[in-house]
Structure formats: C-alpha cells, structure tokens
Amino acid sequence: MKSKYTPDLQAQVYAMIAWNGKTMAEAEAVADETLKKHNGDAKVAFDELDASVYAGGSVLSAINGIMAHEQELKGDGKYDAIIKILSEIHDTWVAQNTKKYDRGNPEKSAKQIFQHLPLELIGVDEVAKDLMFLAPFLKEQGIEVGQMQEGAYGAFVPSAEVVAAYNRAVEAYKSANNIQTIDDLHNALPQIIENYAPLQTPHEKKDDRLGYMLGKVGLITNTVVSKQDKDMFIDQENYAD
C-alpha cells in the first residue's frame, strides 16, 4: 500500500516513534496536523517537523544514497546495494557527530561508543536505525525492507533479505580484516579505529574521540560481539579495559 506521506515525511513519522516516544497513531496525528497547517505543503511541513525531530541529515543521506545506487537497486543485488547505502548513511553520521563520543554520562558513553565503528561491526539492530530513513524511499520503488513497530520507542524491524545481506557484508569484512575469533577482533580494533575515515573528520574533539575509543578496546570488543549473531565468532573470550 502506498504511504499517505511523501517518503521524507514518512521518515519523520518513524523518527518520532523511535526517538520521541510517540506511537504510530500519535506521530501520524502530528504529521497530519502539520500538513494541514501548511495547506498540504509537504516540504514546509517536513522543515517544521525537523526543527524538533532532527531527522533531516539522515533523510538527506538516504536520498543521496538512492541516487548514487539507482541502477544497483534495480538488479538482483539490490539488497547488497542497500547495505552499501546504509554504510554511507552511517559513515556520514559518524563524521558529523564527533562530539557524541561523550554524552555527559560516562556509563551511557561507554555503552554507545561502538556506534562509531564501521557498519559491519555495529550489528543489525543498529543498522535498522538507519534503515528506517531509507525504507520509505525504497518502498516508493517497490522494494520492501521491513516494518516499523507501532508502539512508543519502537524499532524498525528489517526484512530477512536485509538481514541476510548484512550478514554477508559482516563475513566479507571479517575476511578482509583476518577476523575469525573474538581475540582477532580485539587485536584488529586499534587499527580499524585509526583507519576508519569518518573518525578523522576535522573537529576540535577528533583526537579526544579517537583516544577515548582506543582506551576502550576491550569494552568495544565485548559490545561488538554482543551485537552480532551468536555464531559470528568462534570463541567466547571476554575483555576488560
């Protein structure tokens, strides 16, 4: 069924559910009221919603990704192309959120710093947070990639095809970086962190973020393993910083 919203507005609705704690009905009511206020002008409605939802950057990344991979999305490898787009969305977020390594809450910062790693290491549940911005644009092209939960603080649930494509990307990444065991991952992480281009974004806190991550390699290792499918690594070592 075609959405009653433009894809960018649908993404705002999803963000209101995932980030702002609204149910689907509540988020759609906000979107409907905003559209009505602006006589159905979706662009103006989007801009007004974005002043409080802050989804604009991810939506723009999704649009750019669709345009860059337009032909791939028409072929048999469309789900692998979707993972490429999601990686680009994620990389842009990492590059633009240098300060977010320190959230003012040491416990929260430590738990969430793994989000600043490459897409292949953060786990499919995190990937789905980017997929919710891409999904409305893909649906317009007839590509279904999952479903948004309707409850407050709901998550986007990716389709089996997306999960399978992500797992293929993870395995290819592990192979390229000689990672089979958790110990391999732990040993590879310092170089991965130092070589991950989005972490090198010029910013006054760039070196602070890099130093913080390099000082948390043990914790990051454990978190990455916990976010991946249980069979992604062949041992169960635990590390501490």
Side-chain angles (χ1 to χ4, degrees), residues 135-153:
F137 295 95
L138 293 172
K139 185 172 184 178
E140 196 174 51
Q141 298 188 18
I143 305 173
E144 295 284 351
V145 292
Q147 184 174 341
M148 189 73 199
Q149 294 176 332
E150 297 195 2
Y153 294 111

Side-chain angles (χ1 to χ4, degrees), residues 13-102:
V13 168
Y14 289 168
M16 282 190 275
I17 295 167
W19 296 349
N20 295 4
K22 295 187 181 299
T23 64
M24 181 73 77
E26 291 168 343
E28 289 184 344
V30 172
D32 291 343
E33 183 61 31
T34 307
L35 274 170
K36 181 179 178 181
K37 175 181 175 182
H38 296 293
N39 299 313
D41 190 324
K43 182 180 184 308
V44 176
F46 176 89
D47 289 342
E48 179 171 319
L49 287 172
D50 203 49
S52 58
V53 181
Y54 306 112
S58 294
V59 170
L60 179 60
S61 292
I63 293 170
N64 290 339
I66 290 279
M67 293 173 62
H69 297 275
E70 182 177 5
Q71 292 306 312
E72 293 171 81
L73 290 170
K74 295 177 181 178
D76 292 339
K78 59 179 174 288
Y79 291 103
D80 295 313
I82 287 167
I83 299 303
K84 291 180 186 177
I85 297 172
L86 291 170
S87 183
E88 291 162 11
I89 293 172
H90 177 67
D91 288 353
T92 300
W93 180 87
V94 173
Q96 293 178 349
N97 285 275
T98 310
K99 292 185 291 185
K100 282 197 173 181
Y101 85 92
D102 182 2

Side-chain angles (χ1 to χ4, degrees), residues 3-4 11 39 51 78 85 87 99 101 108 126 136 143-144 163 199 201 207 215 230-231 234:
S3 171
K4 64 178 178 177
N39 299 313
K78 59 179 174 288
I85 297 172
S87 183
K99 292 185 291 185
Y101 85 92
K108 187 174 184 180
E126 289 294 321
I143 305 173
E144 295 284 351
V163 174
L199 292 176
T201 305
D207 292 337
K230 62 182 177 62
D231 296 326
I234 63 174

Side-chain angles (χ1 to χ4, degrees), residues 163-185:
V163 174
Y166 178 69
N167 287 341
R168 287 195 296 273
V170 171
E171 291 298 342
Y173 187 89
K174 286 167 56 185
S175 178
N177 289 278
N178 297 312
I179 297 171
Q180 293 184 352
T181 69
I182 298 175
D183 196 44
D184 292 337
L185 173 66

